[in-house]
Amino acid sequence: MTKADIVSEIAKGTGAEKAQVQTIVEAFMESIKCALESNNNVYLRGFGSFIVKKRAQKVARNISKNTTITIPEHNIPAFKPAKSFAAKLK
């Protein structure tokens, strides 16, 4: 399902115009991005959590050049579904 599909479904279900729904969906996604960029987690009860995970420093190999490089510690965004949501998928 793409963002356009989500906008269409919400517009169909609410009776709102697609342009208005698209603006709302994009604002929602932008607010999640901003929260994660500032190291804040976003919790949506019954759906899941958008969290910032910390990846530890590690040593990686470039096989073609036969060299090793060090990848520094860094943060990545992640999604953790709520228990009730995950149970429905199983």
Side-chain angles (χ1 to χ4, degrees), residues 7-26:
V7 168
S8 295
E9 287 292 317
I10 293 172
K12 201 183 308 176
T14 61
E17 293 181 16
K18 282 187 180 182
Q20 184 182 15
V21 173
Q22 182 169 358
T23 304
I24 293 168
V25 168
E26 288 177 359

Side-chain angles (χ1 to χ4, degrees), residues 35 39 64 77 80 87:
N39 268 348
S64 63
K80 182 179 178 184

Side-chain angles (χ1 to χ4, degrees), residues 8-64:
S8 295
E9 287 292 317
I10 293 172
K12 201 183 308 176
T14 61
E17 293 181 16
K18 282 187 180 182
Q20 184 182 15
V21 173
Q22 182 169 358
T23 304
I24 293 168
V25 168
E26 288 177 359
F28 173 73
M29 292 186 338
E30 189 62 35
S31 65
I32 290 175
K33 286 183 206 175
C34 289
L36 293 176
E37 286 172 0
S38 6
N39 268 348
N40 294 324
N41 296 332
V42 178
Y43 303 102
L44 301 172
R45 189 174 300 261
F47 182 70
S49 304
F50 294 94
I51 57 175
V52 178
K53 282 189 172 182
K54 186 169 281 196
R55 287 270 172 102
Q57 177 178 327
K58 65 180 178 180
V59 177
R61 291 197 47 209
N62 183 343
I63 297 172
S64 63

